[in-house]
Amino acid sequence: MQVFLETDRLLLRRFTEDDVENLVELDSDPEVMRFITGGRATPREEVENELLPAFLDHYERYAGYGFWAAVEKPTGRFLGWFHFRPAEGAPPGEVELGYRLRRSAWGKGYATEGSRALIDKGFTELGVERVVASTMVVNVASSRVMEKSGLRFVRVFRQPWPDYIEGEEKGDVEYALSRREWAPATRVASTRPGSRTGR
């Protein structure tokens, strides 16, 4: 298991060819897929021949970026995934954050915990200049995760979706955080009473 990142409760590791079942199960939950495909499951053939190979290809194309399987440390259970990668056509130094977690992992702070750790790693180790994330306006829970992770509202916009999704007429929302915005927040956190300052 190649671990990319570790938090208090999560291990983020590389995907392997053995993760087909994990991905099929994740994408078979209509609630998980509600704001992605309108609830339609991803066919196994698509997972095997397109989705997982694309995940694995990212490790070869982008050093330090890609899709990371999220594993619950106490149980070893697969919870879903996070991605942290350059988006197509994005300027140098800008990466996109995303996540998809099992319904059983919702409401427990895992999405925020993993997102914060990836953002911090991006700015401290990977030379990232700006992190962006987006979701549908009606996906309020995902917007809350972005806000709790330190990202800031940027704009409402519209993008085409291959499947009809209820509420798509309201558009999508973009959140972002630049290195300059992140640094002061980090300094404030490091000087709170009882926190380590490195001295």
Side-chain angles (χ1 to χ4, degrees), residues 33-66:
M33 303 302 287
R34 178 182 173 193
F35 296 114
I36 303 161
T37 63
R40 177 180 59 81
T42 306
R44 171 180 290 276
E45 296 75 19
E46 188 175 329
V47 171
E48 290 179 337
N49 301 324
E50 299 176 34
L51 189 65
L52 185 54
F55 285 8
L56 300 178
D57 182 57
H58 263 78
Y59 306 132
E60 306 303 322
R61 293 170 55 199
Y62 304 105
Y65 298 107

Side-chain angles (χ1 to χ4, degrees), residues 148-167:
K148 289 181 193 173
S149 301
L151 303 182
R152 303 177 182 186
F153 171 79
V154 175
R155 64 182 176 127
V156 174
F157 67 102
R158 295 187 181 277
Q159 62 179 335
W161 290 89
D163 299 278
Y164 171 74
I165 303 173
E166 187 176 353

Side-chain angles (χ1 to χ4, degrees), residues 5 9 23 46 49 56 82 112 118 125 129 152 155 161 164 171 176 194:
L5 184 61
R9 300 181 296 163
L23 290 171
E46 188 175 329
N49 301 324
L56 300 178
F82 291 82
T112 302
L118 284 167
E125 299 179 26
E129 292 299 325
R152 303 177 182 186
R155 64 182 176 127
W161 290 89
Y164 171 74

Side-chain angles (χ1 to χ4, degrees), residues 91-146:
E94 181 175 288
V95 298
E96 181 183 61
L97 169 71
Y99 37 80
R100 186 178 304 174
L101 299 180
R102 282 180 170 173
R103 204 188 323 181
S104 61
W106 293 1
K108 298 179 180 178
Y110 286 125
T112 302
E113 185 173 323
S115 295
R116 283 177 175 168
L118 284 167
I119 291 167
D120 289 349
K121 186 177 181 73
F123 287 133
T124 58
E125 299 179 26
L126 302 176
V128 170
E129 292 299 325
R130 187 170 186 259
V131 177
V132 299
S134 63
T135 189
M136 293 182 67
V137 168
V138 290
N139 192 352
V140 177
S142 189
S143 293
R144 281 204 205 100
V145 169
M146 295 173 189

